[in-house]
């Protein structure tokens, strides 16, 4: 598997987000926090699975990763709206996810 920038960006996002999610209030720790963490980790797993495939075998994994990214974006937005993360943390997360989305879109256009 070639070490594409998408893998390091996703790793950096996880390294930042997972500790943030553990700081959520108890009322959200076992619902929104856990689900957001699972979605983020699932996205990383799907990207790795796509990286291990060749050519057209990658496309289903890339489409799944695109769907998981959209779900994660919505969860992060909900976290901001519920004041579980600050506006600056939301902006930081959004920048990471936007860059991951751009890299994923480029990979989807040229999956080889």
């Amino acid at each position: 598997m070639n070490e594409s920038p998408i893998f390091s960006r996703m790793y950096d996002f996880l390294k930042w987000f997972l500790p943030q999610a553990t700081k959520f209030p108890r009322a959200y720790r076992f619902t929104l926090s856990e689900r957001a963490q699972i979605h983020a980790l699932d996205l990383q797993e799907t990207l790795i699975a796509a990286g291990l495939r060749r050519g057209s075998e990658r496309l289903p994994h890339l489409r799944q990763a695109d769907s998981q990214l959209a779900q994660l974006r919505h969860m992060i937005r909900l976290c901001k709206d519920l004041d579980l993360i600050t506006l600056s943390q939301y902006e930081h997360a959004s920048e990471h996810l936007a860059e991951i989305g751009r890299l994923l879109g480029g990979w989807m256009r040229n999956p080889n």
Side-chain angles (χ1 to χ4, degrees), residues 11-57:
Y11 182 85
D12 291 343
F13 174 77
L14 286 169
K15 195 166 69 169
W16 173 82
F17 179 67
L18 293 177
Q20 299 301 320
T22 62
K23 297 175 188 172
F24 287 8
R26 182 181 204 102
Y28 296 102
R29 197 170 302 144
F30 301 107
T31 55
L32 189 56
S33 172
E34 186 175 323
R35 292 286 304 258
Q37 290 177 65
I38 289 170
H39 272 75
L41 291 167
D42 286 349
L43 174 57
Q44 182 187 38
E45 289 176 5
T46 303
L47 291 172
I48 291 170
L52 295 173
R53 303 299 189 282
R54 296 279 178 225
S56 63
E57 294 177 4

Side-chain angles (χ1 to χ4, degrees), residues 75-94:
M75 286 193 163
I76 297 297
R77 182 178 175 193
L78 181 59
C79 291
K80 181 210 36 116
D81 290 344
L82 293 172
D83 294 322
L84 302 174
I85 58 175
T86 65
L87 182 59
S88 64
Q89 290 172 326
Y90 174 71
E91 289 170 352
H92 180 78
S94 294

